[in-house]
Structure formats: structure tokens, C-alpha cells
């Protein structure tokens, strides 16, 4: 597996730096676009790493997988009354569908949907406790207590997140947010600002490849049905308006973030995380996507 990962990543290394870093978040604007790391974990605990695999970065929208897991665990299928599960066909921060669809976001992986998920989590605890529970979950999943928020990134998003503020206010007007907009966004900006490496991310996602149970510790986080549903939504909605292209190229459930990270799940087998900060026009890592395509083709891990 180490050889396979090294060969696959080396073969796409000349694409590193192509694209643009997410400079609409000032704290992310200065990141070196030439970084590139990858990690794989299999269900038996073996793992492989490449390049900057141990370097922490802002996981951004990849965090939407973890908050969705928390909310599904908390309220089960009732979640789908407040957020849909259809691809949006629109950019991650688009507001156009929200008016027509009366404040119900298309899916939990676009910003509006993830903001509703934060609102659901706030039914169970205050802002600080919700943030603490999220970190506790991610630390436990990754088996690494050092994972934390990058407060500089969270502040930077809070200062410039006018679109997210607009999305949240719009949903509040339609009655789809129960808690104060500022509280909901405080949680949302912090989830986006979790800093993790590809090693930590791949490890933390392994439960999704294993019916909702961590195969190495035996701890259960989701029912097999819940884990399967999350993978389904990752497959259809994990890359915003480029979800179809990701399915075409990679053929696995995946979730990207504008920090340049992507997680992909090989059901029943493995989890893969890649990171390279230069993004394609729809906001996913350019090199990361190419690397995943190559890894998955070489390993014959695609489900499609
Ligand atoms: N924090 C980012 C935002 O709200 C997350 C977007 C993303 O990673 N696609 O715009």
C-alpha cells in the first residue's frame, strides 16, 4: 500500500500548485499552494503516508461530515425534515435555491445545510459545550487528543463571513434556525477551523468505512444504516456543483474543503485523506482530486 500511494502521488506531483488557494478567507490566503500530503488507513490498522501527510491544515468543509454524524446520532432521520439530501448543482455558498425552497437547504454539505446542522446541535448544549463535544468526537475518532481549533482561522471567517451570515439570516427568516444566528455561526466557523493533518483525517474517517464503528478500538459511533446514509450523501453531494465530476473521476464517497483537504471512503475497506491547498474552480483541491483518482484506479477501490 505504501508503494502504491507513493507511486500514485508522485505521478500527479507536477500538478501541485495549479489552481488558487481560498483567499476569500484572509487567514488561508498565505498558505503555500505547493504543499501536498496524503494518508491511507485500512480497517486492519495498516496505514501509508506521502509528503506533507503530518502537516495540519484547516479542514474547512470536511468537518461537515463530523457534524452531520453528531446530528444524525442525536436526532436520527428527523434531520431530513430540515435539510435535504439532493445535490445542489450550485456553489457551496450559493443563496439562490434557499428562497425557492423556503429555507430548507438542499443537503448538509453546502454551507446553508451545515449551518442548519449546527443549529440542531445547539438544541442539546450551549455554544462552548457544542464546540467542546465536536472536538472530543474528532479527537476520539482520530485517537489524538492534540487536535484543536485554529482560532485565527475562526476569527478570520467571522470577520469576513458575510455570505454565511446572509445564508443564516435567510434561513432564520424562514424559521429553519431556532438559535441566535451569531451562536450558530460561532459553532459553524469553529468547525471549519479545525486543524488536522491527512493522517489524523484518514484515521478519524475510518469509522465510515466500517459501518459506523471504529474497527481498531471497537467503539461504535453510528449505526451501519447511518454510516451508509452519510456515505451516500458524500457520494452525491460531497463536492458541491462538481459532485458528479468527482464521482466520475474517483467513484467513491468523498468530502472536500476549501483548505485543500479531501476525505474519501472505500466502504468496508479504507479511508483516504489528501491535502494540497490550490483549488479548482468549484473549491476542491486540484492535485488532491487527481491523486485520489490515481490511488483509487491503481488499487481498484472504486465502487463505480
Ligand atoms: N468555511 C468555508 C465557508 O464557509 C467552508 C467552505 C468550504 O470548505 N467549501 O465558506
Amino acid at each position: 500500500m505504501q508503494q502504491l500511494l507513493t507511486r500514485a502521488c508522485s505521478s500527479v506531483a507536477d500538478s501541485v500548485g495549479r489552481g488558487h488557494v481560498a483567499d476569500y478567507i484572509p487567514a488561508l490566503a498565505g498558505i503555500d499552494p505547493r504543499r501536498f500530503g496524503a494518508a491511507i488507513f485500512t480497517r486492519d490498522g495498516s496505514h501509508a503516508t506521502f509528503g506533507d501527510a503530518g502537516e495540519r491544515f484547516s479542514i474547512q468543509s470536511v468537518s461537515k461530515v463530523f457534524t452531520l454524524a453528531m446530528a444524525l446520532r442525536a436526532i436520527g432521520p428527523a434531520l431530513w425534515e430540515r435539510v435535504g439530501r439532493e445535490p445542489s448543482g450550485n456553489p457551496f455558498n450559493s443563496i439562490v435555491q434557499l428562497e425557492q425552497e423556503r429555507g430548507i437547504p438542499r443537503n448538509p454539505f453546502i454551507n446553508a445545510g451545515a449551518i442548519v446542522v449546527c443549529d440542531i446541535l445547539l438544541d442539546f448544549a450551549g455554544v462552548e459545550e457544542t464546540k467542546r463535544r465536536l472536538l472530543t468526537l474528532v479527537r476520539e475518532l482520530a485517537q489524538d487528543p492534540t487536535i484543536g481549533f485554529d482560532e485565527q482561522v475562526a476569527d478570520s471567517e467571522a470577520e469576513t463571513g458575510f455570505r454565511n451570515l446572509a445564508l443564516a439570516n435567510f434561513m432564520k427568516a424562514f424559521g429553519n434556525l431556532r438559535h441566535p444566528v451569531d451562536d450558530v455561526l460561532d459553532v459553524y466557523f469553529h468547525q471549519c477551523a479545525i486543524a488536522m493533518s491527512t493522517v489524523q483525517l484518514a484515521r478519524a474517517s475510518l469509522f465510515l468505512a466500517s459501518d459506523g464503528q471504529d474497527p481498531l478500538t471497537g467503539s461504535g459511533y453510528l449505526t451501519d444504516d447511518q454510516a451508509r446514509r452519510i456515505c451516500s450523501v458524500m457520494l452525491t453531494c460531497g463536492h458541491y456543483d462538481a459532485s458528479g465530476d468527482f464521482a466520475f473521476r474517483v467513484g467513491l464517497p468523498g468530502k472536500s474543503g476549501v483548505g485543500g483537504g479531501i476525505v474519501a471512503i472505500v466502504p468496508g475497506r479504507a479511508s483516504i485523506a489528501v491535502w494540497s491547498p490550490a483549488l479548482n474552480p468549484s473549491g476542491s483541491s486540484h492535485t488532491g482530486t487527481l491523486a485520489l483518482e490515481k490511488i483509487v484506479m491503481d488499487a481498484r477501490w472504486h465502487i463505480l
Side-chain angles (χ1 to χ4, degrees):
M1 193 169 66
Q2 183 60 58
Q3 263 181 7
L4 181 142
L5 181 66
T6 305
R7 215 179 310 126
C9 290
S10 304
S11 76
V12 301
D14 61 350
S15 74
V16 171
R18 240 175 265 161
H20 297 282
V21 301
D23 53 8
Y24 76 97
I25 300 172
L28 297 184
I31 305 230
D32 177 2
R34 304 198 56 83
R35 311 313 297 269
F36 179 26
I40 302 178
F41 263 89
T42 56
R43 276 180 72 165
D44 63 5
S46 33
H47 53 276
T49 59
F50 175 83
D52 299 319
E55 179 121 354
R56 294 181 197 219
F57 57 93
S58 188
I59 69 168
Q60 292 293 317
S61 284
V62 178
S63 64
K64 292 171 182 167
V65 173
F66 300 120
T67 47
L68 176 61
M70 282 174 81
L72 262 185
R73 200 155 63 148
I75 67 166
L79 179 136
W80 305 115
E81 289 159 23
R82 296 186 51 197
V83 54
R85 46 189 191 233
E86 288 291 349
S88 67
N90 274 311
F92 58 83
N93 54 9
S94 171
I95 202 165
V96 290
Q97 272 163 353
L98 268 186
E99 175 151 40
Q100 264 171 350
E101 299 178 1
R102 309 199 56 76
I104 309 288
R106 274 286 174 103
N107 67 67
F109 291 156
I110 50 175
N111 290 10
I115 291 168
V116 171
V117 169
C118 288
D119 188 67
I120 292 170
L121 296 179
L122 285 172
D123 285 348
F124 299 91
V127 174
E128 294 311 317
E129 176 62 14
T130 302
K131 292 194 273 188
R132 199 192 62 77
R133 289 182 186 181
L134 171 59
L135 267 193
T136 303
L137 173 71
V138 172
R139 286 172 174 169
E140 201 180 305
L141 287 170
Q143 292 286 290
D144 189 332
T146 67
I147 294 169
F149 299 120
D150 182 333
E151 292 292 346
Q152 216 190 327
V153 173
D155 287 350
S156 182
E157 289 211 56
E159 280 161 25
T160 57
F162 301 110
R163 262 181 180 267
N164 288 318
L165 202 60
L167 291 168
N169 277 306
F170 211 61
M171 292 189 289
K172 183 87 178 164
F174 276 111
N176 200 16
L177 286 194
R178 295 178 184 155
H179 300 275
V181 163
D182 288 347
D183 288 359
V184 180
L185 287 180
D186 190 348
V187 176
Y188 175 74
F189 291 140
H190 276 83
Q191 76 169 72
C192 292
I194 296 174
M196 289 169 85
S197 67
T198 57
V199 173
Q200 292 166 332
L201 255 187
R203 177 68 184 88
S205 311
L206 195 54
F207 76 113
L208 288 172
S210 188
D211 299 330
Q213 261 205 5
D214 185 328
L216 305 180
T217 63
S219 301
Y221 294 96
L222 296 175
T223 64
D224 53 355
D225 186 60
Q226 288 169 332
R228 181 171 77 81
R229 306 296 169 153
I230 291 183
C231 286
S232 301
V233 185
M234 290 172 80
L235 185 68
T236 52
C237 311
H239 287 72
Y240 327 110
D241 47 338
S243 297
D245 191 59
F246 186 83
F248 178 84
R249 285 175 183 280
V250 179
L252 288 178
K255 183 74 204 84
S256 70
V258 294
I262 307 177
V263 160
I265 304 299
V266 193
R269 286 193 153 174
S271 52
I272 312 170
V274 293
W275 170 57
S276 192
L279 308 177
N280 63 26
S282 54
S284 300
S285 172
H286 176 67
T287 298
T289 307
L290 294 181
L292 278 173
E293 183 174 9
K294 191 76 176 94
I295 294 165
V296 164
M297 276 170 58
D298 290 354
R300 304 201 62 75
W301 270 346
H302 38 92
I303 58 167
L304 301 172

